[in-house]
Amino acid sequence: MATAGIIVAAALLSALLLWYFLAPRRAARADAVDGVQRVRIAVKGGYDPGDVVVRAGVPTLIDFDRREGGECSSHVVFADLGVDVALPAFAHTELRLPALPAGEYPFACGMNMLHGMLRVEGDGVAGATTVAAAPAAVAESDDVLRARQRAEDLDRVHEIHALTRRLVVAVVFTVPLLLVAMLPMIPSVGAWMRDALPAWALGPWLQLALTIPVMAYCGWPVHRTGWLAIAHRAPEMNSLVTLGTIAAFGYSLVVTVWPDLLPAAARAPYYEAVGTIITLMILGQLLEAKARAGTGDAIRELIGLRPDTALVIRDGRPTSVPTADIVVGDVVEVRLGERLPVDGVVVSGSSAVDESMITGESLPVAKTVGDPVTGATTNTTGALRYRATRVGADTTLSGIIRLVRAAQTSKAPIQRMADKVAGVFVPAVVLVAIWTFVVWWCVGVPPRGLYGLICAICVLVIACPCALGLATPLSITTATGRGARHGVLYRNAEALETAAKIDVVVFDKTGTITRGEPHVVRIAALGADGAFDAAIDDMTLAAIAAAEAKSEHPLARAVVEAARARHLDIPECLTFVAVPGGGVRADVDGHEVVVGSDRFVEDGVTDGGLRQARETMRLAAQDGATPVIAAVDGRVVAVFAIRDTIKDDARAAVDALRSRGIGVVMLTGDNHVTADAIAREAGIGHVVADVRPEDKESVILALQRQGRHVAMVGDGINDAPALARADLGMAMGTGTDVAIESADVTLMNGSLTSVVTALDLAHATMRNIRQNLGFALGYNGLGIPVAAGVLYPLWHVLLNPMIAGAAMAFSSLSVVLNANRLRRFVPGGAHRYAMHAAPIEESTLEASLGGACRVHNGDGTRNGDGIRDTATKGHAMADDTAEEILEDAINEQLRQEEADAEDVIDPVCGMTVDPKTAAAKRVWRGRTIYFCNPHCAEVFDSNPSNYVDD
């Protein structure tokens, strides 16, 4: 009868637990006041309310009322929004969110143990500040960042001191408790103690007296947090320890006060288990807090880089002012050994600046008048004066800190699995504990009730959801901080995880493979005999430079610099049109000047000089120079040979990628002869030449359609669409802001070896996360059954609750210590991975609008010359076959788009066009544009951005 009653009670209790912990929670709705939705969330062992409902399209203000101390709830993180807000203890903190579109936005504490949900309902449209811009809403200045970090460090120190104090008290009481409880189990020692000590010294009342301080004082934070988590219907590790120790303490109390209620064989108290479990719990928390503090070292070091004061020129003299008071336009003086306070441009002096803490580059960089300088770098030789251009929250240092913080608080996709398991972990453990007791009661050996209780307590105590919760966030935090030290900035955790999957890296040429500082090595002007072997006259060169002066292309700047080297006066052009990937057209003093590629210039040439010019261009390209042709009033007048040298580490980076089984591709708008020369020098096996800027994205898409995980590395505005299209966009920190904003990873030093560092660190991080998750899942998967007593039928082994408590305490600590191993990551070290992707076929390397594919062995030979490319493992194909295959793939894509498309508008003439019968079509930044006649397509080609919004 008793057995049936226990089974029924267990079933009812299980149903109650499932309903209480897993049933949907009642959501609180925000109140709208003056066009802003407002809601208050109390933070005390959880979030109350944990579910908040707001309307879409209306800004939201959340007032977090934190009513506790400690590190666990010191931050609130909206991972999907990239928002991380510090919550000072016993204070209100307001978080302003923009008008959000409908959806669910989970939030959690910084340790990923407390969870809540912001639900946005309705059809409202997000305002000017969208989800992507949400982090900007909480951007912080350097001073705010410093104050925030200082407060966090003080909270952490206070927590460590409090844990240390409680640990000392726990040890003082637990050690004699263990001696009194355990020594009598040794026959000789027990006999001596019974003869030498009074009876009360060996009785349960002394053990109770020694346990009460440990239970009530030392264990108070554990019990408080555990019960609050249960009250919030979000139980966690503290809840399990609380239930287990209270069960053991309660049973022992019955043994002490009412022993006659229990059988004689079941009257042994377990006070020593209670004291030991709580002591080990506090020890584990203390060690974990100290280890976890190390994961934030990178942020603390970055914040500490900015000097507190600076010398600003006021009334002609250097005056010391707080760095926070510097404004744009101030002239700052930096002396030997001092750090630069803000970003700017040098106006006088020259020196070498150590930028290692920002870029990871160990060698100082020479700076002179006109050169940009970055705040937080160190002046190593002479004195400098520079004009401040970016201050406060706009400095490079502040941007790096915000980016690192956003990455550290974001969630990697792999973490979703752990979160799902953690969400049901504690209720599942409680159910296992309940039914462990039932099974022991039904089929266990006497005293079955006692054994069932001990095993149930062990199940509760040994389970560790904290290890699951910490497995991913700590590795992400450590890795992103380590990357920042070496000049690699990941935008978020997803970028870090994606980087570990990359098997093809596509490089832009100019400014990425090469230095991005081209210079004119030769100017071949049209001579009287029709050959391009004459010197160009100053007037013609000045006119050509005037046309190029308004272009931002590096080749255009090289032409302008060649004119300035002759000290020529460059006139203003009356009209100017730039065609990406083609060239420029301008009206200079009544003359039509066209400069660019031969294909671009040929439409405006009326004489027959283009054939001779092309021969000169071919000779220049063979030498690795980029040929640029210039025509004035329809007549070809000169060919410029412009050369850009590859970066010193280009060959080493390419070799490192290939040794890891990663394919390397170079994209360039240069002709194939020039591209071949650069590729041979860099050791790149695959080249796509003659690619217009809008076609770079198509190359990325073609590779992705072959099942590749593609990283794109670029630095210019025209690389932004390809960076966005790639699985992983990597922007050189020396590039444009547009490219950096489009990228998932920013390489601050512009070094190609940073690409290898970014991928190596990503692989090390994902390996570390998998180890953490494997340990956490494996530990719980093995520990819980052992604690339940599955080994007893075979070897008569039962787990002692003290051992279970020790295992639980050190399980989360082991995850923290393993994550900290990433702090030892060194760029260029031995790599422990190799990608095993299928060989790259040239069919994937042909741009959709006329690119030319070349495949090299990196030693000056081409595939087909008797030597196979090691990167392609012998699967190279003839160019004509590659073109046919890629053309088929692209045509299939276009046919699918046409089948799905309705009538569209010709952007040039405004006519309605049926995609199936369109006279012409173009691909522009991933979009297919249709035209009613070929002339409209030609007009579109002259300036696509005039007709299609970017």
Side-chain angles (χ1 to χ4, degrees):
M1 189 66 182
T3 300
I6 287 177
I7 294 175
V8 172
L12 292 175
L13 183 58
S14 299
L16 179 62
L17 286 173
L18 290 173
W19 170 81
Y20 182 76
F21 289 126
L22 302 182
R25 292 182 289 184
R26 180 180 298 175
R29 290 191 172 272
D31 298 323
V33 180
D34 298 329
V36 177
Q37 300 177 97
R38 300 174 182 267
V39 65
R40 174 174 294 181
I41 298 178
V43 182
K44 188 176 182 181
Y47 299 114
D48 184 18
D51 276 17
V52 178
V53 177
V54 300
R55 295 201 319 274
V58 181
T60 302
L61 186 149
I62 304 177
D63 177 14
F64 286 97
D65 178 14
R66 189 174 179 221
R67 303 172 183 175
E68 61 183 358
E71 186 176 359
C72 182
S73 59
S74 62
H75 286 249
V76 62
V77 178
F78 287 78
D80 293 343
L81 302 179
V83 173
D84 174 15
V85 178
L87 304 180
F90 305 100
H92 289 260
T93 303
E94 291 187 347
L95 171 63
R96 298 179 181 273
L97 294 176
L100 300 173
E104 294 186 346
Y105 302 90
F107 56 93
C109 68
M111 292 177 62
N112 198 37
M113 297 303 296
L114 310 179
H115 297 271
M117 180 66 71
L118 176 67
R119 305 181 192 277
V120 182
E121 299 179 348
D123 299 325
V125 179
T129 306
T130 63
V131 178
V138 291
E140 298 164 325
S141 66
D142 287 353
D143 291 330
V144 173
L145 287 170
R146 286 184 168 217
R148 168 181 169 175
Q149 189 64 48
R150 198 177 300 117
E152 291 177 10
D153 291 342
L154 289 174
D155 284 345
R156 184 175 289 109
V157 169
H158 174 74
E159 180 185 19
I160 290 175
H161 286 168
L163 287 171
T164 303
R165 186 170 58 251
R166 294 180 189 275
L167 179 62
V168 170
V169 174
V171 169
V172 167
F173 285 95
T174 301
V175 169
L177 175 61
L178 278 172
L179 294 176
V180 170
M182 305 301 291
L183 287 180
M185 296 181 181
I186 303 174
S188 58
V189 176
W192 173 83
M193 293 180 69
R194 283 188 291 272
D195 293 338
L197 299 177
W200 62 265
L202 300 178
W205 288 99
L206 177 60
Q207 296 181 35
L208 173 61
L210 292 172
T211 304
I212 287 176
V214 180
M215 185 75 173
Y217 171 70
C218 303
W220 168 244
V222 176
H223 301 317
R224 172 186 167 278
T225 304
W227 284 115
L228 284 172
I230 292 174
H232 288 295
R233 300 171 64 181
E236 35 86 75
M237 182 176 64
N238 290 288
S239 304
L240 296 177
V241 173
T242 295
L243 293 175
T245 54
I246 286 179
F249 184 81
Y251 177 83
S252 302
L253 192 62
V254 171
V255 170
T256 304
V257 181
W258 302 287
D260 294 337
L261 296 178
L262 300 171
R267 293 177 182 176
Y270 282 88
Y271 290 120
E272 77 282 359
V274 174
T276 304
I277 289 170
I278 292 177
T279 301
L280 291 174
M281 177 79 170
I282 296 172
L283 176 61
Q285 288 180 343
L286 177 61
L287 295 176
E288 182 183 327
K290 290 184 175 182
R292 197 169 54 240
T295 62
D297 284 348
I299 288 290
R300 280 189 289 274
E301 289 182 9
L302 287 170
I303 291 176
L305 288 178
R306 194 203 72 174
D308 294 325
T309 60
L311 294 177
V312 177
I313 306 302
R314 300 279 167 83
D315 299 325
R317 295 188 305 176
T319 303
S320 180
V321 302
T323 299
D325 293 343
I326 299 177
V327 298
V328 174
D330 278 346
V331 175
V332 181
E333 182 173 292
V334 184
R335 296 169 182 171
L336 177 63
E338 294 180 344
R339 290 194 183 275
L340 282 66
V342 296
D343 299 353
V345 177
V346 177
V347 295
S348 68
S350 61
S351 180
V353 176
D354 180 4
E355 299 179 337
S356 59
M357 284 304 295
I358 298 296
T359 66
E361 179 60 51
S362 58
L363 296 178
V365 181
K367 300 290 183 180
T368 187
V369 176
D371 289 337
V373 289
T374 305
T377 55
T378 304
N379 181 24
T380 62
T381 53
L384 286 176
R385 286 188 178 184
Y386 70 96
R387 179 170 287 103
T389 57
R390 292 192 290 188
V391 301
D394 297 327
T395 62
T396 299
L397 177 64
S398 294
I400 291 174
I401 293 173
R402 285 195 297 272
L403 195 59
V404 173
R405 276 197 181 278
Q408 290 181 343
T409 57
S410 60
K411 284 189 178 183
I414 195 174
Q415 187 175 338
R416 295 169 189 160
M417 180 270 291
D419 286 347
K420 289 179 179 179
V421 174
V424 298
F425 183 85
V426 174
V429 169
V430 175
L431 289 178
V432 171
I434 292 173
W435 288 99
T436 294
F437 177 83
V438 172
V439 171
W440 271 96
W441 180 269
C442 294
V443 299
V445 297
R448 55 186 184 177
L450 177 60
Y451 284 162
L453 179 61
I454 292 173
C455 290
I457 291 172
C458 286
V459 168
L460 291 173
V461 171
I462 201 171
C464 187
C466 189
L468 272 176
L470 292 174
T472 300
L474 284 182
S475 296
I476 295 294
T477 298
T478 306
T480 50
R482 196 65 184 169
R485 289 185 179 182
H486 296 292
V488 177
L489 303 180
Y490 299 94
R491 182 173 295 277
N492 50 42
E494 185 174 359
L496 193 62
E497 182 172 343
T498 302
K501 302 176 183 177
I502 295 302
D503 53 21
V504 174
V505 176
V506 179
F507 289 99
D508 177 51
K509 181 182 76 70
T510 304
T512 305
I513 295 291
T514 64
R515 296 180 182 277
E517 300 172 355
H519 57 282
V520 176
V521 295
R522 181 180 174 225
I523 305 176
L526 180 64
D529 57 355
F532 284 86
D533 55 4
I536 192 170
D537 62 89
D538 290 349
M539 183 178 298
T540 302
L541 179 59
I544 296 171
E548 295 278 54
K550 290 189 176 182
S551 172
E552 296 182 356
H553 197 283
L555 298 181
R557 290 197 298 268
V559 174
V560 175
E561 289 300 321
R564 287 175 177 167
R566 293 194 187 184
H567 305 289
L568 301 179
D569 292 330
I570 300 176
E572 288 288 331
C573 56
L574 300 179
T575 61
F576 173 82
V577 176
V579 178
V584 299
R585 290 189 181 92
D587 184 342
V588 181
D589 292 336
H591 298 282
E592 182 187 21
V593 179
V594 183
V595 189
S597 66
D598 58 337
R599 290 187 300 175
F600 176 76
V601 172
E602 65 182 350
D603 290 339
V605 173
T606 56
D607 69 348
L610 195 57
R611 183 174 58 82
Q612 294 90 334
R614 282 178 171 150
E615 177 61 21
T616 303
M617 294 174 71
R618 185 185 65 81
L619 295 174
Q622 286 180 342
D623 293 333
T626 300
V628 173
I629 191 170
V632 177
D633 293 332
R635 181 169 176 264
V636 178
V637 296
V639 174
F640 291 78
I642 304 175
R643 185 173 176 82
D644 191 3
T645 56
I646 71 168
K647 294 178 178 178
D648 294 336
D649 61 349
R651 182 73 185 232
V654 171
D655 290 344
L657 290 172
R658 292 174 59 152
S659 71
R660 289 157 172 77
I662 299 174
V664 181
V665 179
M666 185 180 80
L667 294 183
T668 178
D670 277 341
N671 62 79
H672 68 85
V673 179
T674 301
D676 289 350
I678 297 295
R680 283 194 299 270
E681 191 174 356
I684 295 177
H686 302 276
V687 182
V688 184
D690 292 324
V691 181
R692 292 183 295 183
E694 60 269 26
D695 292 334
K696 292 180 180 180
E697 185 180 6
S698 299
V699 175
I700 302 297
L701 182 60
L703 284 167
Q704 290 172 331
R705 289 171 67 86
Q706 296 292 327
R708 298 284 182 169
H709 294 94
V710 184
M712 171 70 190
V713 187
D715 72 326
I717 292 176
N718 58 13
D719 296 324
L723 289 170
R725 167 65 66 180
D727 298 289
L728 186 76
M730 307 177 80
M732 294 293 177
T734 53
T736 64
D737 291 340
V738 174
I740 292 173
E741 286 297 321
S742 302
D744 302 300
V745 179
T746 300
L747 310 175
M748 293 301 297
N749 56 21
S751 168
L752 292 187
T753 54
S754 293
V755 175
V756 183
T757 299
L759 300 184
D760 284 354
L761 180 55
H763 279 274
T765 303
M766 296 312 299
R767 184 168 57 249
N768 190 270
I769 289 174
R770 285 190 289 269
Q771 291 168 351
N772 286 345
L773 289 174
F775 178 81
L777 293 171
Y779 161 80
N780 286 290
L782 293 175
I784 291 175
V786 171
V790 296
L791 298 182
Y792 190 85
L794 297 176
W795 297 293
H796 291 76
V797 174
L798 281 181
L799 198 64
N800 188 294
M802 292 187 293
I803 298 176
M808 176 275 302
F810 287 98
S811 61
S812 58
L813 175 63
S814 63
V815 170
V816 175
L817 294 176
N818 188 52
N820 272 275
R821 289 174 53 241
L822 288 170
R823 298 171 65 187
R824 300 200 297 265
F825 173 84
V826 177
H831 61 277
R832 296 169 55 189
Y833 69 94
M835 306 305 292
H836 300 288
I840 297 177
E841 296 181 354
E842 289 86 293
S843 61
T844 63
L845 302 180
E846 186 69 31
S848 59
L849 296 179
C853 173
R854 290 294 185 274
V855 182
H856 296 279
N857 299 294
D859 59 2
T861 64
R862 290 231 356 241
N863 282 339
D865 296 338
I867 301 177
R868 291 289 187 181
D869 182 5
T870 58
T872 61
K873 296 181 174 61
H875 288 267
M877 304 168 62
D879 288 345
D880 54 350
T881 305
E883 292 173 6
E884 292 171 3
I885 293 177
L886 181 63
E887 184 178 358
D888 289 343
I890 294 173
N891 288 338
E892 175 62 28
Q893 178 185 356
L894 293 177
R895 281 194 294 270
Q896 185 62 42
E897 291 177 356
E898 291 170 1
D900 297 338
E902 300 177 354
D903 288 351
V904 296
I905 302 298
D906 183 325
V908 176
C909 65
M911 294 286 290
T912 300
V913 181
D914 183 350
K916 300 180 183 62
T917 59
K921 53 195 168 192
R922 298 287 188 270
V923 176
W924 171 253
R925 296 189 175 176
R927 297 169 54 188
T928 305
I929 313 298
Y930 300 93
F931 303 94
C932 64
N933 61 75
H935 175 71
C936 287
E938 293 173 1
V939 174
F940 175 83
D941 289 340
S942 66
N943 196 352
S945 59
N946 276 356
Y947 302 100
V948 179
D949 294 335
D950 292 338

